[in-house]
Amino acid sequence: MEKQALEQLNQAVQVLLKDARTQVLAAMGQTLTIDEKTSRKDLVTNVDRSNENFLVQRLRQLDPQARILAEEGLGDQVETLAGHVWIVDPIDGTMNFVHQRNHFAMMIGLYIDGEPTLGYIYDVMADKLYAGGPIVGVTLNERPLPAPRDAPLAEGLFGASGPLLIHNKYQMQTIAQTSLGPRILGSAGVQISQVLAGELVGYLSYLRPWDFAAGRVLAESLGLVVSQVDGTPVNMLSSGAVLVATKSAQRAILAIVK
Amino acid sequence: MEKQALEQLNQAVQVLLKDARTQVLAAMGQTLTIDEKTSRKDLVTNVDRSNENFLVQRLRQLDPQARILAEEGLGDQVETLAGHVWIVDPIDGTMNFVHQRNHFAMMIGLYIDGEPTLGYIYDVMADKLYAGGPIVGVTLNERPLPAPRDAPLAEGLFGASGPLLIHNKYQMQTIAQTSLGPRILGSAGVQISQVLAGELVGYLSYLRPWDFAAGRVLAESLGLVVSQVDGTPVNMLSSGAVLVATKSAQRAILAIVK
């Protein structure tokens, strides 16, 4: 896609997300319908579904030939990354959404023939929209976002996952103790946005494609690195332990994990 | 103190805190001077000190006979709770302040002859001021704050401390796994304010007096409980593991810890 067309698409997706936010805020004034998916700690609500439906429909209008991989299954069956693939998480941090009415995000990523192209993380209650990609640049609420400093692990706070920290998977306790301290927020979107903003030097969690598709685009555009926990490239169509970090922090973490 | 005098004092402290916020935001535009206190994970900055100085001076104007216990030592030596004692934390979450420029709080508590009387937690960047006490009521940004639901541990998110979770002190891993999940934010003020708001069902951490003096006043005013981790009363002049929770969550946690 040409740069001008991408810039138009970038603007249109931001408008779409603001419309979605208005609808989500209105829906939060109504009673939620909450269902368990795989366990009592894995929830889905009517708002996840209605917002996914809204996002998928609007993305189809913007990009009719594309395929859409969406968390709650209202998009397409996507088995390759050929052409335009949008990856959508309508409410990331559903547990926070239900129990805190706060600290959750909408996320959208666009991959073109597998190339990270556009990414959006929208922290709904803080009204912070991280947007863009390697060609159009990265903005926070429409203002250019500077790349974070390449801070070492020992000089920054580290975004952890509760289960991985408790069970010390991937040496996460050592990683946390090498850093200035762990932070757990319960939303990949919110925590990856804190890495983008330089508030965390890294984030490691078990993630599904929609949890990190947007974040990968934005992070790589800002000179951060996104990899599996052994340092190998991520695959946008599978789940696993994913690390988003500064280059320096990634080096320290890979040395701890191996 | 009569209710009317307390209400006037309550208004005056909120004005004082807003003035302090303006100064802190301005100071964040300048280079910080950062010193280690006991370790690389225990910091103090010029802003902690200048803000403590500001808060102590303004509190002395409001309440000249009172004694003031303040984190950075710019108040008085306080060894009893007789009369009016103000307990001040100028920047709670200094690590976040330094490395995130976000997620920190100012806190002030007033104890009269040991009785929790007024409390203030000001999440500076979110601009959320929790204020009040058992006589004047509790407000969030000047609007009455409803008491949170008495949610059980298993039905809510739990505010943890990184070191306690990693080392499983006080069975914190079991507590976290019994809840819907742990959250770690790195600021007692911010996490206690989330208990007040019903975003967490409890918070357990090793705390010093200024870390929980304000939160205790506010929490108890809203029907929450504040105790040591064995269920015994807290002492406002000593440090220890302090639990702030709903009544139901406290019962579950005490049963796990004992």
Side-chain angles (χ1 to χ4, degrees), chain B residues 173-215:
Chain B
Q173 294 179 1
T174 304
I175 296 169
Q177 290 174 306
T178 305
S179 80
L180 290 172
R183 297 288 180 266
I184 300 177
L185 280 96
S187 158
V190 174
Q191 291 195 270
I192 294 173
S193 76
Q194 293 193 343
V195 184
L196 303 178
E199 295 188 359
L200 300 172
V201 292
Y203 171 61
L204 173 59
S205 186
Y206 189 90
L207 300 178
R208 296 160 303 168
W210 39 81
D211 292 322
F212 70 99

Side-chain angles (χ1 to χ4, degrees), chain A residues 48-178:
Chain A
D48 296 69
R49 292 194 188 97
S50 64
N51 193 44
E52 179 162 308
N53 191 47
F54 177 80
L55 296 174
V56 166
Q57 294 211 3
R58 287 280 295 264
L59 288 173
R60 287 209 196 286
Q61 288 168 13
L62 285 180
D63 194 2
Q65 307 302 316
R67 290 170 303 143
I68 303 176
L69 171 63
E71 175 172 18
E72 310 305 343
L74 303 177
D76 304 304
Q77 280 283 96
V78 174
E79 279 154 16
T80 76
L81 288 175
H84 286 209
V85 175
W86 294 88
I87 304 179
V88 173
D89 192 339
I91 302 281
D92 171 72
T94 299
M95 184 63 78
N96 291 350
F97 175 71
V98 170
H99 289 278
Q100 304 194 317
R101 306 290 169 117
N102 205 346
H103 313 299
F104 60 91
M106 303 179 195
M107 294 197 284
I108 296 176
L110 171 64
Y111 288 71
I112 299 182
D113 292 323
E115 281 299 308
T117 305
L118 291 173
Y120 305 86
I121 301 178
Y122 200 175
D123 181 331
V124 174
M125 302 311 290
D127 199 10
K128 287 187 179 177
L129 174 54
Y130 296 82
I135 297 165
V136 301
V138 176
T139 56
L140 166 56
N141 291 348
E142 302 179 61
R143 290 159 63 165
L145 183 69
R149 185 171 81 88
D150 182 25
L153 178 61
E155 293 177 18
L157 294 160
F158 182 73
S161 127
L164 297 189
L165 187 65
I166 288 173
H167 296 112
N168 198 23
K169 285 274 287 182
Y170 313 114
Q171 305 290 330
M172 196 178 266
Q173 295 180 359
T174 304
I175 296 169
Q177 290 174 306
T178 305

Side-chain angles (χ1 to χ4, degrees), chain A residues 23-38:
Chain A
Q23 296 201 5
V24 167
L25 293 178
M28 288 170 75
Q30 315 289 320
T31 305
L32 293 183
T33 306
I34 303 163
D35 295 309
E36 293 180 4
K37 293 202 284 190
T38 61

Side-chain angles (χ1 to χ4, degrees), chain B residues 70-233:
Chain B
E71 176 172 19
E72 310 305 343
L74 304 178
D76 304 304
Q77 280 283 97
V78 175
E79 279 154 17
T80 77
L81 288 174
H84 286 209
V85 175
W86 294 89
I87 303 179
V88 173
D89 192 338
I91 302 283
D92 172 71
T94 300
M95 185 63 78
N96 290 350
F97 175 72
V98 170
H99 289 279
Q100 303 193 319
R101 307 290 168 117
N102 205 346
H103 313 300
F104 60 91
M106 304 179 195
M107 295 197 283
I108 297 176
L110 171 63
Y111 288 72
I112 300 184
D113 292 323
E115 281 299 308
T117 305
L118 291 173
Y120 304 87
I121 301 177
Y122 200 174
D123 181 331
V124 173
M125 301 312 289
D127 199 11
K128 287 187 178 177
L129 174 54
Y130 295 82
I135 297 165
V136 302
V138 176
T139 56
L140 166 56
N141 291 350
E142 302 181 62
R143 291 159 64 164
L145 183 68
R149 185 171 82 87
D150 182 25
L153 179 61
E155 293 178 19
L157 295 160
F158 182 73
S161 128
L164 298 188
L165 188 65
I166 288 173
H167 296 111
N168 198 23
K169 285 273 287 181
Y170 313 114
Q171 306 290 330
M172 197 178 265
Q173 294 179 1
T174 304
I175 296 169
Q177 290 174 306
T178 305
S179 80
L180 290 172
R183 297 288 180 266
I184 300 177
L185 280 96
S187 158
V190 174
Q191 291 195 270
I192 294 173
S193 76
Q194 293 193 343
V195 184
L196 303 178
E199 295 188 359
L200 300 172
V201 292
Y203 171 61
L204 173 59
S205 186
Y206 189 90
L207 300 178
R208 296 160 303 168
W210 39 81
D211 292 322
F212 70 99
R216 178 186 169 196
V217 178
L218 295 165
E220 292 181 352
S221 302
L222 292 171
L224 297 158
V225 283
V226 180
S227 71
Q228 297 192 78
V229 71
D230 60 1
T232 59

